[in-house]
């Protein structure tokens, strides 16, 4: 995001003030004022949800039983991976700086937890390998790093697209990333429809005998990874489709660039703006 940061730093306070409104600031600061639960409490609940998967993963591989066939290498990789995820979530949870962006950081934290959950749903199996590293650990590592890379590229593309719209600029965006992002949304919608269809029509599926004259052997075994990874990467982008707000990202960056100027512009006290 270095290019994005450099672009945003090029905008003056006057330009930023034309984009940011008082309502934007209130949304980033406190969100829904009439909410029954505080942002602090809601963020704690999200943290506990986010920590559940890596903690269970850590406990499982630290106390692995004899009936679980797994190599020392894969178990070690899984333990390190789960610890890194736990440390990441705790860092972002405690990384509270200013009162003026408290609600924004809460929603960003939801997005971070969502990304980790989707990665862990596949990456959590990395410690179950029994020695066949080539067709187990390597594909999962490829999936994890590809997902992280895809998150970065799609987010950057969305932010550039937002800057072009807000400031009438013409920065180059990737059409491929835009297409992939939209396909992820379609995959999510289709997935919801399929789940609902299945729930309402189970009896149709039960009477179909897939064992006759149907050969799905090409979808099993090692070859299945080759087909699965691209589809799983699309699924991994669902948190971005649902939770990443590029417009809020841009406005928050502009607010961070001129915090004192905006504080004085909208007559907030230092306690209201920065907290205690």
């Amino acid at each position: 995001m270095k290019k994005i940061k450099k672009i945003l730093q090029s905008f003056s306070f006057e330009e930023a003030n034309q984009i940011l409104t008082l309502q934007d600031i209130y949304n980033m600061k406190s969100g829904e004022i009439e909410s029954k639960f505080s942002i602090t409490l809601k963020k704690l609940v999200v943290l506990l949800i986010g920590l559940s998967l890596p903690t269970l993963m850590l406990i499982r591989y630290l106390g692995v039983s004899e009936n679980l066939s797994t190599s020392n290498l894969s178990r070690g990789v899984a333990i390190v991976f789960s610890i890194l995820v736990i440390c990441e979530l705790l860092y972002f949870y405690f990384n509270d700086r200013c009162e003026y962006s408290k609600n924004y950081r809460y929603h960003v934290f939801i997005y971070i937890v969502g990304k980790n959950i989707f990665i862990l749903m596949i990456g959590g199996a990395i410690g179950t390998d029994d020695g066949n590293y080539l067709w187990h650990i390597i594909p999962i590592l490829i999936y994890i790093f590809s997902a992280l890379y895809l998150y970065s590229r799609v987010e950057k593309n969305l932010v550039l697209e937002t800057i072009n719209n807000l400031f009438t600029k013409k920065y180059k965006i990737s059409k491929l990333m835009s297409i992939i992002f939209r396909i992820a949304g379609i995959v999510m919608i289709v997935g919801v429809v399929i789940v609902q269809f299945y729930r309402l029509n189970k009896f149709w599926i039960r009477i179909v005998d897939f064992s006759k004259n149907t050969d799905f052997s090409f979808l099993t075994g090692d070859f299945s990874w080759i087909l699965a990874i691209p589809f799983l990467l699309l699924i991994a982008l669902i948190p971005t489709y649902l939770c990443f707000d590029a417009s809020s990202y841009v406005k928050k960056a502009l607010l961070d660039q001129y915090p004192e100027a905006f504080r004085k512009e909208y007559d907030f006290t230092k306690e209201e703006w920065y907290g205690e």
Side-chain angles (χ1 to χ4, degrees):
M1 286 282 191
K2 289 183 179 180
K3 179 182 178 181
I4 300 294
K5 186 177 181 180
K6 188 174 180 181
I7 291 172
L8 291 171
Q9 287 176 343
S10 68
F11 296 117
S12 65
F13 171 71
E14 288 72 22
E15 290 175 304
N17 198 24
Q18 291 177 359
I19 301 301
L20 267 166
T21 65
L22 181 59
Q23 186 60 50
D24 290 326
I25 292 174
Y26 274 122
N27 287 339
M28 284 187 275
K29 187 177 186 299
S30 55
E32 298 178 8
I33 298 176
E34 297 181 356
S35 176
K36 295 180 180 180
F37 305 102
S38 67
I39 294 173
T40 302
L41 178 59
K42 290 188 290 186
K43 192 173 180 181
L44 177 60
V45 172
V46 174
L47 173 67
L48 295 176
I49 293 172
L51 287 176
S52 60
L53 278 180
T55 302
L56 289 172
M57 179 175 165
L58 181 62
I59 293 172
R60 180 189 187 194
Y61 293 122
L62 280 175
V64 63
S65 58
E66 294 180 358
N67 60 358
L68 180 62
S69 179
T70 174
S71 67
N72 291 330
L73 175 62
S74 64
R75 190 165 65 251
V77 172
I79 290 170
V80 172
F81 180 48
S82 57
I83 291 174
L84 288 175
V85 172
I86 291 171
C87 290
E88 179 200 14
L89 294 180
L90 289 174
Y91 169 78
F92 282 105
Y93 176 78
F94 290 108
N95 189 28
D96 280 338
R97 297 179 182 176
C98 298
E99 189 70 20
Y100 66 75
S101 60
K102 191 172 184 178
N103 187 57
Y104 170 83
R105 292 196 309 276
Y106 162 64
H107 286 283
V108 169
F109 188 64
I110 291 175
Y111 176 45
I112 291 170
V113 169
K115 288 194 293 185
N116 278 288
I117 287 174
F118 272 72
I119 290 176
L120 279 171
M121 284 192 299
I122 304 300
I126 198 169
T128 59
D129 177 61
D130 59 0
N132 189 7
Y133 306 132
L134 181 62
W135 294 109
H136 190 90
I137 292 183
I138 292 177
I140 292 178
L141 288 176
I142 290 173
Y143 166 77
I144 291 171
F145 287 110
S146 297
L148 293 174
Y149 174 76
L150 198 57
Y151 281 131
S152 176
R153 287 294 308 274
V154 170
E155 289 166 11
K156 179 181 176 181
N157 206 60
L158 290 171
V159 171
L160 279 176
E161 191 174 9
T162 300
I163 291 173
N164 288 343
N165 294 332
L166 291 175
F167 294 96
T168 60
K169 300 293 183 180
K170 294 183 179 180
Y171 294 108
K172 185 179 179 180
I173 62 173
S174 170
K175 292 182 179 179
L176 176 61
M177 290 296 108
S178 297
I179 292 171
I180 290 175
F181 178 69
R182 285 164 176 77
I183 291 176
I186 294 171
V187 168
M188 180 195 69
I189 294 170
V190 171
V192 171
V193 171
I194 290 174
V195 169
Q196 293 302 318
F197 179 81
Y198 173 75
R199 289 177 60 189
L200 296 172
N201 300 277
K202 288 183 181 179
F203 67 94
W204 290 3
I205 299 173
R206 287 175 186 154
I207 64 176
V208 179
D209 187 357
F210 289 103
S211 64
K212 295 179 179 179
N213 300 321
T214 307
D215 183 11
F216 291 107
S217 59
F218 70 98
L219 292 176
T220 61
D222 301 334
F223 183 70
S224 61
W225 273 114
I226 300 173
L227 297 176
I229 286 180
F231 182 71
L232 292 172
L233 287 174
L234 287 174
I235 293 176
L237 278 177
I238 289 177
T240 306
Y241 188 84
L242 294 175
C243 301
F244 184 72
D245 188 343
S247 178
S248 294
Y249 178 94
V250 171
K251 292 176 180 179
K252 167 64 166 52
L254 295 172
L255 191 60
D256 283 342
Q257 195 165 312
Y258 304 105
E260 270 298 292
F262 278 110
R263 183 185 72 81
K264 294 176 181 177
E265 176 75 14
Y266 294 109
D267 199 26
F268 284 95
T269 65
K270 286 191 175 183
E271 185 177 353
E272 290 173 326
W273 197 247
Y274 298 108
E276 296 180 356

